[in-house]
Amino acid sequence: MTLPTLDNLGKGPFFLMAGSCAIESNDLAFEIAEKIDGITKAMGIPYIFKGSYRKANRTKIDSFTGIGDIKALEILQAVGKHYSLPTVTDIHESAEAAMAAAYVDVLQIPAFLCRQTDLLAAAAQTGKAVNIKKGQFMSGASMRFAVEKVLHENPEAVVYLTDRGNSFGYGDLVVDYRNLPEMSAMNVPVIMDCTHSLQRPNQTTGITGGQPALIETIAKAAIAVGADGIFIETHPNPSVAKSDGANMLPLDQLEGLLEKLLRVREAIV
């Protein structure tokens, strides 16, 4: 299993980071991984399986947070071993870095936490790759300091930067595509999170909304301006997903979307 880097991507396809928002069950994780693994292998797209072992950033006290940390991490590990896939999950506090690193290949720093020096340092110290999501309140150019914090602790670290939109008022996000080339200038692979970018956060209902009909639009534009990777949360039935269902891509629509994105990629390289 090889992680995608600028050196091995070259002029080939973009890579995909995808899975359900949260690890809900063993069966669901394997169902999603099997489907996406088959699609991406047929298309020659490098694939990293994504699943959050715990959701720490929830609006309401009774929102779903997870099935148990170790149980979910063991499912992530089992998926990775069964399909020979790298895996990624979020961490939220410094103490979680070593725990999660024992099970996955990439540690993801949530957007709200991308300035947390101790968290970035702890992730780097594990020796795992680190995917830093750009804060909704930050420019692409300002993310160089987050990259520097990781590389200060581990100069050999594989670092990814992921854009997920910028706050637009209290309850919306907008994607500024200038951020992608700004982050690419830091010589790290840049990813577009095509699902969280379409969230409608901070709704008075306590449930985050979304605009999943625009996932294809966000993804096509990202590939066109040079994104190295695409991040998509997907589920066989988003309406029953336990987390972020309002902005997920239905799993049966993923193959068609990837086919279109490959054609965009071929047109620009």
Side-chain angles (χ1 to χ4, degrees), residues 34-239:
E34 181 169 359
K35 178 72 172 179
I36 303 178
D37 181 55
I39 292 170
T40 52
K41 278 189 169 64
M43 294 184 176
I45 297 173
Y47 173 44
I48 300 173
F49 177 79
K50 184 267 171 185
S52 296
Y53 71 87
R54 173 159 40 90
K55 302 302 296 183
N57 177 27
R58 300 289 87 189
T59 302
K60 298 191 297 182
I61 190 64
D62 59 351
S63 295
F64 173 81
T65 58
I67 60 175
D69 291 356
I70 299 304
K71 181 178 180 180
L73 286 167
E74 287 176 343
I75 291 171
L76 278 160
Q77 185 180 58
V79 167
K81 287 183 176 179
H82 185 80
Y83 295 103
S84 297
L85 290 172
T87 55
V88 58
T89 198
D90 315 72
I91 58 171
H92 318 93
E93 298 181 22
S94 303
E96 298 175 16
M99 175 184 72
Y103 296 90
V104 301
D105 305 285
V106 184
L107 299 177
Q108 182 166 281
I109 308 300
F112 283 123
L113 302 177
C114 69
R115 288 171 52 95
Q116 298 298 103
T117 301
D118 289 349
L119 181 61
L120 290 162
Q125 289 163 5
T126 67
K128 299 293 184 173
V130 182
N131 179 34
I132 314 170
K133 286 201 166 182
K134 183 187 73 62
Q136 302 92 323
F137 45 87
M138 294 182 68
S139 69
S142 63
M143 288 300 292
R144 72 182 180 91
F145 303 109
V147 175
E148 288 172 359
K149 289 175 183 178
V150 172
L151 296 179
H152 179 267
E153 297 296 325
N154 179 8
E156 304 302 319
V158 173
V159 182
Y160 303 106
L161 287 178
T162 297
D163 191 7
R164 48 99 75 234
N166 282 80
S167 296
F168 186 68
Y170 292 114
D172 206 353
L173 296 167
V174 64
V175 176
D176 180 352
Y177 286 96
R178 294 177 297 179
N179 287 323
L180 297 183
E182 286 179 356
M183 294 193 297
S184 290
M186 300 167 204
N187 199 36
V188 298
V190 171
I191 303 166
M192 185 73 233
D193 182 339
C194 303
T195 46
H196 288 101
S197 296
L198 292 166
Q199 282 184 331
R200 290 280 178 84
N202 305 319
Q203 301 299 304
T204 56
T205 60
I207 299 173
T208 297
Q211 295 178 291
L214 292 174
I215 291 172
E216 181 175 321
T217 300
I218 296 292
K220 284 179 176 177
I223 295 298
V225 299
D228 303 293
I230 293 294
F231 180 109
I232 291 177
E233 288 190 338
T234 183
H235 193 284
N237 185 0
S239 67

